[in-house]
């Protein structure tokens, strides 16, 4: 048991270090934050964002939702709960509507803030052609093109980025919990390696999204540091449960997973994918990079 505990502690620090490493690459490298680069530079950044969108789509459909449905089904069966009502899906929908209501409440408060705020972009320092407010924040390129282009001015908002961070962080706690609750060192290493590869791509994509959302560098660093600590926190909780021989709380964990899954569905389909697919230029190439990100995550999931 002592050796198993040592393996879990090594996994804890390994996850923390690698998550910080991959998370701070987009956050600290100026190339990712430069919005005044060449057309090639902006196109490449857009394709990286599309790749991240494919990663999040795969995480949503192949990782987070299946994990939740499996856990909630196990807990309902253990408690012999039988109902024709789709309770797991309802819990997930509740998470979706929770984020939707919160976001619309925030936007409604901003709209009531005054006529000046209504006419101005919410984040005026953004210079990449994607406004964040309700006003007519059009770029010179769009004005001079003579064509109508649909631009989602609410895409990549700091609020949605925060909700993305929150849902991913909650899921990371459950991933760490899966490591902490194992009772064999081989299983700990197997799950840890899978999560290391998976989380490295996820945190890189999250960092790209935070940078593109015009979130202040200090907040980006804070988000990445907190996110990096979530899986180690889950491992620590799992170790504590094993050491204390506690068996309660599994149903609450499953419900929280369901709410996090609904949150992630909202962010994936209402924020990440629409932003890139609604912006003009190189549509087929963008779709290709979304599929590429999805395929890499699907391959990692398939390999186990």
């Amino acid at each position: 048991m002592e050796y198993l505990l040592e393996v879990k502690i090594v996994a804890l620090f390994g996850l923390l270090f690698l998550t910080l490493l991959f998370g701070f690459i987009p956050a600290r490298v100026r190339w990712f934050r430069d919005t005044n680069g060449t057309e090639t530079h902006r196109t490449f950044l857009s394709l990286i964002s599309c790749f991240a969108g494919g990663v999040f789509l795969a995480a949503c459909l192949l990782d987070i939702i299946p994990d939740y449905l499996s856990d909630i089904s196990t807990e309902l069966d253990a408690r012999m709960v039988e109902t024709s009502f789709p309770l797991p899906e309802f819990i997930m929908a509740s998470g979706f509507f929770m984020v939707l209501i919160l976001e619309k409440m925030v936007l409604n408060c901003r709209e009531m803030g005054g006529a000046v705020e209504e006419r101005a972009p919410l984040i005026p320092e953004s210079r990449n052609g994607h406004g964040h407010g309700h006003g007519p924040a059009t770029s010179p390129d769009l004005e001079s093109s003579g064509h109508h282009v649909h631009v989602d001015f609410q895409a990549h908002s700091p609020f949605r980025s925060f909700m993305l961070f929150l849902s991913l962080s909650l899921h990371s706690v459950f991933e760490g919990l899966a490591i902490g609750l194992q009772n064999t060192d081989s299983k700990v290493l197997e799950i840890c390696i899978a999560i290391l590869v998976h989380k490295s791509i996820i945190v890189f994509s999250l960092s790209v999204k935070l940078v593109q959302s015009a979130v202040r560098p200090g907040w980006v660093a804070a988000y990445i540091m907190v996110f990096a600590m979530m899986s180690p926190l889950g491992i620590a909780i799992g170790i504590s449960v094993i050491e204390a021989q506690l068996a309660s709380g599994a149903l609450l964990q499953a419900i929280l997973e369901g709410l996090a899954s609904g949150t992630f569905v909202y962010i994936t389909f209402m924020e990440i994918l629409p932003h890139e697919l609604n912006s003009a230029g190189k549509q087929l190439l963008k779709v290709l990079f979304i599929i590429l990100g999805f395929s890499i995550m699907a391959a990692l999931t398939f390999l186990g």
Side-chain angles (χ1 to χ4, degrees), residues 2-27:
E2 288 298 324
Y3 177 71
L4 176 61
L5 183 60
E6 291 176 4
V7 172
K8 290 181 180 180
I9 293 175
V10 170
L12 187 154
F13 284 103
L15 275 172
L16 178 63
F17 173 76
L18 286 178
T19 304
L20 287 173
L21 176 65
F22 281 92
F24 278 115
I25 291 175

PDB file of all heavy atoms in Angstrom, residues 2-27:
ATOM      1  N   GLU A   2       2.003   1.203   0.677  1.00  0.00           N
ATOM      2  CA  GLU A   2       2.885   2.359   0.716  1.00  0.00           C
ATOM      3  C   GLU A   2       3.408   2.680  -0.678  1.00  0.00           C
ATOM      4  O   GLU A   2       3.492   3.849  -1.066  1.00  0.00           O
ATOM      5  CB  GLU A   2       4.056   2.094   1.683  1.00  0.00           C
ATOM      6  CG  GLU A   2       3.664   2.103   3.144  1.00  0.00           C
ATOM      7  CD  GLU A   2       3.114   3.440   3.596  1.00  0.00           C
ATOM      8  OE1 GLU A   2       3.611   4.472   3.102  1.00  0.00           O
ATOM      9  OE2 GLU A   2       2.184   3.466   4.412  1.00  0.00           O
ATOM     10  N   TYR A   3       3.767   1.644  -1.442  1.00  0.00           N
ATOM     11  CA  TYR A   3       4.254   1.861  -2.810  1.00  0.00           C
ATOM     12  C   TYR A   3       3.155   2.450  -3.672  1.00  0.00           C
ATOM     13  O   TYR A   3       3.399   3.352  -4.495  1.00  0.00           O
ATOM     14  CB  TYR A   3       4.750   0.549  -3.407  1.00  0.00           C
ATOM     15  CG  TYR A   3       5.193   0.670  -4.843  1.00  0.00           C
ATOM     16  CD1 TYR A   3       6.369   1.345  -5.176  1.00  0.00           C
ATOM     17  CD2 TYR A   3       4.428   0.127  -5.871  1.00  0.00           C
ATOM     18  CE1 TYR A   3       6.770   1.469  -6.492  1.00  0.00           C
ATOM     19  CE2 TYR A   3       4.820   0.252  -7.193  1.00  0.00           C
ATOM     20  CZ  TYR A   3       5.994   0.918  -7.497  1.00  0.00           C
ATOM     21  OH  TYR A   3       6.388   1.048  -8.803  1.00  0.00           O
ATOM     22  N   LEU A   4       1.934   1.983  -3.525  1.00  0.00           N
ATOM     23  CA  LEU A   4       0.793   2.508  -4.279  1.00  0.00           C
ATOM     24  C   LEU A   4       0.582   3.984  -3.971  1.00  0.00           C
ATOM     25  O   LEU A   4       0.317   4.793  -4.882  1.00  0.00           O
ATOM     26  CB  LEU A   4      -0.468   1.713  -3.929  1.00  0.00           C
ATOM     27  CG  LEU A   4      -1.788   2.190  -4.561  1.00  0.00           C
ATOM     28  CD1 LEU A   4      -1.713   2.125  -6.083  1.00  0.00           C
ATOM     29  CD2 LEU A   4      -2.952   1.351  -4.044  1.00  0.00           C
ATOM     30  N   LEU A   5       0.722   4.358  -2.708  1.00  0.00           N
ATOM     31  CA  LEU A   5       0.563   5.762  -2.317  1.00  0.00           C
ATOM     32  C   LEU A   5       1.653   6.616  -2.964  1.00  0.00           C
ATOM     33  O   LEU A   5       1.379   7.736  -3.428  1.00  0.00           O
ATOM     34  CB  LEU A   5       0.630   5.878  -0.790  1.00  0.00           C
ATOM     35  CG  LEU A   5       0.410   7.277  -0.206  1.00  0.00           C
ATOM     36  CD1 LEU A   5      -0.959   7.824  -0.590  1.00  0.00           C
ATOM     37  CD2 LEU A   5       0.564   7.248   1.314  1.00  0.00           C
ATOM     38  N   GLU A   6       2.884   6.099  -3.028  1.00  0.00           N
ATOM     39  CA  GLU A   6       3.973   6.834  -3.669  1.00  0.00           C
ATOM     40  C   GLU A   6       3.702   7.043  -5.152  1.00  0.00           C
ATOM     41  O   GLU A   6       3.965   8.122  -5.698  1.00  0.00           O
ATOM     42  CB  GLU A   6       5.296   6.083  -3.475  1.00  0.00           C
ATOM     43  CG  GLU A   6       5.800   6.072  -2.038  1.00  0.00           C
ATOM     44  CD  GLU A   6       7.048   5.228  -1.891  1.00  0.00           C
ATOM     45  OE1 GLU A   6       7.544   4.731  -2.927  1.00  0.00           O
ATOM     46  OE2 GLU A   6       7.525   5.069  -0.751  1.00  0.00           O
ATOM     47  N   VAL A   7       3.179   6.022  -5.818  1.00  0.00           N
ATOM     48  CA  VAL A   7       2.848   6.135  -7.244  1.00  0.00           C
ATOM     49  C   VAL A   7       1.792   7.212  -7.468  1.00  0.00           C
ATOM     50  O   VAL A   7       1.876   8.022  -8.404  1.00  0.00           O
ATOM     51  CB  VAL A   7       2.358   4.778  -7.802  1.00  0.00           C
ATOM     52  CG1 VAL A   7       1.816   4.934  -9.230  1.00  0.00           C
ATOM     53  CG2 VAL A   7       3.485   3.763  -7.790  1.00  0.00           C
ATOM     54  N   LYS A   8       0.797   7.257  -6.597  1.00  0.00           N
ATOM     55  CA  LYS A   8      -0.261   8.271  -6.723  1.00  0.00           C
ATOM     56  C   LYS A   8       0.284   9.678  -6.512  1.00  0.00           C
ATOM     57  O   LYS A   8      -0.113  10.622  -7.201  1.00  0.00           O
ATOM     58  CB  LYS A   8      -1.380   7.975  -5.722  1.00  0.00           C
ATOM     59  CG  LYS A   8      -2.200   6.739  -6.051  1.00  0.00           C
ATOM     60  CD  LYS A   8      -3.302   6.512  -5.025  1.00  0.00           C
ATOM     61  CE  LYS A   8      -4.119   5.271  -5.368  1.00  0.00           C
ATOM     62  NZ  LYS A   8      -5.203   5.026  -4.386  1.00  0.00           N
ATOM     63  N   ILE A   9       1.195   9.831  -5.567  1.00  0.00           N
ATOM     64  CA  ILE A   9       1.785  11.149  -5.296  1.00  0.00           C
ATOM     65  C   ILE A   9       2.637  11.606  -6.483  1.00  0.00           C
ATOM     66  O   ILE A   9       2.599  12.783  -6.882  1.00  0.00           O
ATOM     67  CB  ILE A   9       2.613  11.119  -3.999  1.00  0.00           C
ATOM     68  CG1 ILE A   9       1.689  10.907  -2.790  1.00  0.00           C
ATOM     69  CG2 ILE A   9       3.416  12.410  -3.827  1.00  0.00           C
ATOM     70  CD1 ILE A   9       2.409  10.738  -1.480  1.00  0.00           C
ATOM     71  N   VAL A  10       3.413  10.676  -7.071  1.00  0.00           N
ATOM     72  CA  VAL A  10       4.194  11.006  -8.273  1.00  0.00           C
ATOM     73  C   VAL A  10       3.268  11.409  -9.410  1.00  0.00           C
ATOM     74  O   VAL A  10       3.532  12.377 -10.142  1.00  0.00           O
ATOM     75  CB  VAL A  10       5.076   9.810  -8.686  1.00  0.00           C
ATOM     76  CG1 VAL A  10       5.702  10.054 -10.061  1.00  0.00           C
ATOM     77  CG2 VAL A  10       6.165   9.569  -7.657  1.00  0.00           C
ATOM     78  N   ALA A  11       2.157  10.684  -9.570  1.00  0.00           N
ATOM     79  CA  ALA A  11       1.177  11.029 -10.598  1.00  0.00           C
ATOM     80  C   ALA A  11       0.601  12.417 -10.350  1.00  0.00           C
ATOM     81  O   ALA A  11       0.381  13.199 -11.283  1.00  0.00           O
ATOM     82  CB  ALA A  11       0.057   9.988 -10.624  1.00  0.00           C
ATOM     83  N   LEU A  12       0.365  12.750  -9.086  1.00  0.00           N
ATOM     84  CA  LEU A  12      -0.183  14.059  -8.719  1.00  0.00           C
ATOM     85  C   LEU A  12       0.742  15.182  -9.189  1.00  0.00           C
ATOM     86  O   LEU A  12       0.299  16.130  -9.871  1.00  0.00           O
ATOM     87  CB  LEU A  12      -0.379  14.110  -7.202  1.00  0.00           C
ATOM     88  CG  LEU A  12      -1.087  15.318  -6.582  1.00  0.00           C
ATOM     89  CD1 LEU A  12      -1.727  14.899  -5.265  1.00  0.00           C
ATOM     90  CD2 LEU A  12      -0.120  16.469  -6.308  1.00  0.00           C
ATOM     91  N   PHE A  13       2.034  15.082  -8.852  1.00  0.00           N
ATOM     92  CA  PHE A  13       2.974  16.149  -9.220  1.00  0.00           C
ATOM     93  C   PHE A  13       3.269  16.143 -10.723  1.00  0.00           C
ATOM     94  O   PHE A  13       3.504  17.202 -11.313  1.00  0.00           O
ATOM     95  CB  PHE A  13       4.262  16.011  -8.409  1.00  0.00           C
ATOM     96  CG  PHE A  13       4.123  16.472  -6.983  1.00  0.00           C
ATOM     97  CD1 PHE A  13       3.992  15.560  -5.957  1.00  0.00           C
ATOM     98  CD2 PHE A  13       4.094  17.828  -6.688  1.00  0.00           C
ATOM     99  CE1 PHE A  13       3.854  15.979  -4.644  1.00  0.00           C
ATOM    100  CE2 PHE A  13       3.956  18.258  -5.374  1.00  0.00           C
ATOM    101  CZ  PHE A  13       3.838  17.338  -4.345  1.00  0.00           C
ATOM    102  N   GLY A  14       3.257  14.953 -11.338  1.00  0.00           N
ATOM    103  CA  GLY A  14       3.467  14.878 -12.783  1.00  0.00           C
ATOM    104  C   GLY A  14       2.368  15.579 -13.558  1.00  0.00           C
ATOM    105  O   GLY A  14       2.628  16.334 -14.513  1.00  0.00           O
ATOM    106  N   LEU A  15       1.126  15.349 -13.152  1.00  0.00           N
ATOM    107  CA  LEU A  15      -0.004  16.020 -13.794  1.00  0.00           C
ATOM    108  C   LEU A  15       0.070  17.532 -13.604  1.00  0.00           C
ATOM    109  O   LEU A  15      -0.188  18.307 -14.534  1.00  0.00           O
ATOM    110  CB  LEU A  15      -1.322  15.488 -13.222  1.00  0.00           C
ATOM    111  CG  LEU A  15      -1.895  14.210 -13.846  1.00  0.00           C
ATOM    112  CD1 LEU A  15      -3.079  13.719 -13.030  1.00  0.00           C
ATOM    113  CD2 LEU A  15      -2.315  14.462 -15.283  1.00  0.00           C
ATOM    114  N   LEU A  16       0.432  17.968 -12.405  1.00  0.00           N
ATOM    115  CA  LEU A  16       0.522  19.393 -12.114  1.00  0.00           C
ATOM    116  C   LEU A  16       1.578  20.066 -12.990  1.00  0.00           C
ATOM    117  O   LEU A  16       1.313  21.105 -13.622  1.00  0.00           O
ATOM    118  CB  LEU A  16       0.856  19.596 -10.637  1.00  0.00           C
ATOM    119  CG  LEU A  16       1.033  21.049 -10.169  1.00  0.00           C
ATOM    120  CD1 LEU A  16      -0.262  21.827 -10.342  1.00  0.00           C
ATOM    121  CD2 LEU A  16       1.510  21.088  -8.721  1.00  0.00           C
ATOM    122  N   PHE A  17       2.757  19.464 -13.087  1.00  0.00           N
ATOM    123  CA  PHE A  17       3.861  20.070 -13.836  1.00  0.00           C
ATOM    124  C   PHE A  17       3.559  20.142 -15.334  1.00  0.00           C
ATOM    125  O   PHE A  17       3.722  21.195 -15.962  1.00  0.00           O
ATOM    126  CB  PHE A  17       5.144  19.270 -13.594  1.00  0.00           C
ATOM    127  CG  PHE A  17       6.297  19.722 -14.454  1.00  0.00           C
ATOM    128  CD1 PHE A  17       6.976  20.893 -14.160  1.00  0.00           C
ATOM    129  CD2 PHE A  17       6.681  18.985 -15.562  1.00  0.00           C
ATOM    130  CE1 PHE A  17       8.033  21.320 -14.963  1.00  0.00           C
ATOM    131  CE2 PHE A  17       7.737  19.401 -16.366  1.00  0.00           C
ATOM    132  CZ  PHE A  17       8.419  20.568 -16.062  1.00  0.00           C
ATOM    133  N   LEU A  18       3.124  19.039 -15.921  1.00  0.00           N
ATOM    134  CA  LEU A  18       2.897  19.015 -17.361  1.00  0.00           C
ATOM    135  C   LEU A  18       1.720  19.897 -17.771  1.00  0.00           C
ATOM    136  O   LEU A  18       1.737  20.509 -18.846  1.00  0.00           O
ATOM    137  CB  LEU A  18       2.672  17.572 -17.838  1.00  0.00           C
ATOM    138  CG  LEU A  18       3.932  16.714 -17.888  1.00  0.00           C
ATOM    139  CD1 LEU A  18       3.595  15.293 -18.325  1.00  0.00           C
ATOM    140  CD2 LEU A  18       4.954  17.306 -18.844  1.00  0.00           C
ATOM    141  N   THR A  19       0.684  19.972 -16.933  1.00  0.00           N
ATOM    142  CA  THR A  19      -0.444  20.849 -17.243  1.00  0.00           C
ATOM    143  C   THR A  19      -0.003  22.304 -17.258  1.00  0.00           C
ATOM    144  O   THR A  19      -0.384  23.074 -18.149  1.00  0.00           O
ATOM    145  CB  THR A  19      -1.578  20.649 -16.226  1.00  0.00           C
ATOM    146  OG1 THR A  19      -1.956  19.266 -16.206  1.00  0.00           O
ATOM    147  CG2 THR A  19      -2.796  21.474 -16.613  1.00  0.00           C
ATOM    148  N   LEU A  20       0.808  22.692 -16.282  1.00  0.00           N
ATOM    149  CA  LEU A  20       1.328  24.060 -16.256  1.00  0.00           C
ATOM    150  C   LEU A  20       2.201  24.330 -17.474  1.00  0.00           C
ATOM    151  O   LEU A  20       2.115  25.408 -18.091  1.00  0.00           O
ATOM    152  CB  LEU A  20       2.130  24.297 -14.971  1.00  0.00           C
ATOM    153  CG  LEU A  20       1.330  24.431 -13.674  1.00  0.00           C
ATOM    154  CD1 LEU A  20       2.271  24.484 -12.476  1.00  0.00           C
ATOM    155  CD2 LEU A  20       0.455  25.683 -13.713  1.00  0.00           C
ATOM    156  N   LEU A  21       3.038  23.371 -17.842  1.00  0.00           N
ATOM    157  CA  LEU A  21       3.941  23.542 -18.982  1.00  0.00           C
ATOM    158  C   LEU A  21       3.171  23.798 -20.265  1.00  0.00           C
ATOM    159  O   LEU A  21       3.420  24.787 -20.977  1.00  0.00           O
ATOM    160  CB  LEU A  21       4.827  22.298 -19.126  1.00  0.00           C
ATOM    161  CG  LEU A  21       5.761  22.282 -20.342  1.00  0.00           C
ATOM    162  CD1 LEU A  21       6.792  23.396 -20.231  1.00  0.00           C
ATOM    163  CD2 LEU A  21       6.459  20.927 -20.467  1.00  0.00           C
ATOM    164  N   PHE A  22       2.215  22.924 -20.583  1.00  0.00           N
ATOM    165  CA  PHE A  22       1.470  23.061 -21.835  1.00  0.00           C
ATOM    166  C   PHE A  22       0.488  24.232 -21.780  1.00  0.00           C
ATOM    167  O   PHE A  22       0.168  24.816 -22.811  1.00  0.00           O
ATOM    168  CB  PHE A  22       0.726  21.759 -22.151  1.00  0.00           C
ATOM    169  CG  PHE A  22       1.602  20.697 -22.731  1.00  0.00           C
ATOM    170  CD1 PHE A  22       2.221  19.762 -21.914  1.00  0.00           C
ATOM    171  CD2 PHE A  22       1.825  20.627 -24.095  1.00  0.00           C
ATOM    172  CE1 PHE A  22       3.039  18.783 -22.438  1.00  0.00           C
ATOM    173  CE2 PHE A  22       2.639  19.653 -24.634  1.00  0.00           C
ATOM    174  CZ  PHE A  22       3.245  18.719 -23.810  1.00  0.00           C
ATOM    175  N   GLY A  23       0.012  24.575 -20.593  1.00  0.00           N
ATOM    176  CA  GLY A  23      -0.927  25.677 -20.480  1.00  0.00           C
ATOM    177  C   GLY A  23      -0.294  27.036 -20.689  1.00  0.00           C
ATOM    178  O   GLY A  23      -0.923  27.949 -21.246  1.00  0.00           O
ATOM    179  N   PHE A  24       0.970  27.183 -20.274  1.00  0.00           N
ATOM    180  CA  PHE A  24       1.610  28.494 -20.362  1.00  0.00           C
ATOM    181  C   PHE A  24       2.284  28.744 -21.710  1.00  0.00           C
ATOM    182  O   PHE A  24       2.773  29.858 -21.937  1.00  0.00           O
ATOM    183  CB  PHE A  24       2.626  28.661 -19.234  1.00  0.00           C
ATOM    184  CG  PHE A  24       2.005  29.087 -17.936  1.00  0.00           C
ATOM    185  CD1 PHE A  24       2.025  28.247 -16.831  1.00  0.00           C
ATOM    186  CD2 PHE A  24       1.382  30.320 -17.830  1.00  0.00           C
ATOM    187  CE1 PHE A  24       1.440  28.641 -15.634  1.00  0.00           C
ATOM    188  CE2 PHE A  24       0.795  30.709 -16.637  1.00  0.00           C
ATOM    189  CZ  PHE A  24       0.828  29.881 -15.536  1.00  0.00           C
ATOM    190  N   ILE A  25       2.308  27.761 -22.593  1.00  0.00           N
ATOM    191  CA  ILE A  25       2.897  27.994 -23.922  1.00  0.00           C
ATOM    192  C   ILE A  25       2.114  29.059 -24.693  1.00  0.00           C
ATOM    193  O   ILE A  25       2.690  30.078 -25.104  1.00  0.00           O
ATOM    194  CB  ILE A  25       2.998  26.681 -24.722  1.00  0.00           C
ATOM    195  CG1 ILE A  25       4.051  25.760 -24.099  1.00  0.00           C
ATOM    196  CG2 ILE A  25       3.362  26.971 -26.191  1.00  0.00           C
ATOM    197  CD1 ILE A  25       4.137  24.400 -24.744  1.00  0.00           C
ATOM    198  N   PRO A  26       0.782  28.896 -24.913  1.00  0.00           N
ATOM    199  CA  PRO A  26       0.053  29.966 -25.610  1.00  0.00           C
ATOM    200  C   PRO A  26      -0.059  31.243 -24.776  1.00  0.00           C
ATOM    201  O   PRO A  26      -0.126  32.343 -25.325  1.00  0.00           O
ATOM    202  CB  PRO A  26      -1.335  29.358 -25.853  1.00  0.00           C
ATOM    203  CG  PRO A  26      -1.162  27.893 -25.661  1.00  0.00           C
ATOM    204  CD  PRO A  26      -0.086  27.756 -24.636  1.00  0.00           C
ATOM    205  N   ALA A  27      -0.103  31.102 -23.455  1.00  0.00           N
ATOM    206  CA  ALA A  27      -0.297  32.262 -22.587  1.00  0.00           C
ATOM    207  C   ALA A  27       0.937  33.161 -22.539  1.00  0.00           C
ATOM    208  O   ALA A  27       0.811  34.380 -22.409  1.00  0.00           O
ATOM    209  CB  ALA A  27      -0.665  31.801 -21.176  1.00  0.00           C
TER     210      ALA A  27
END
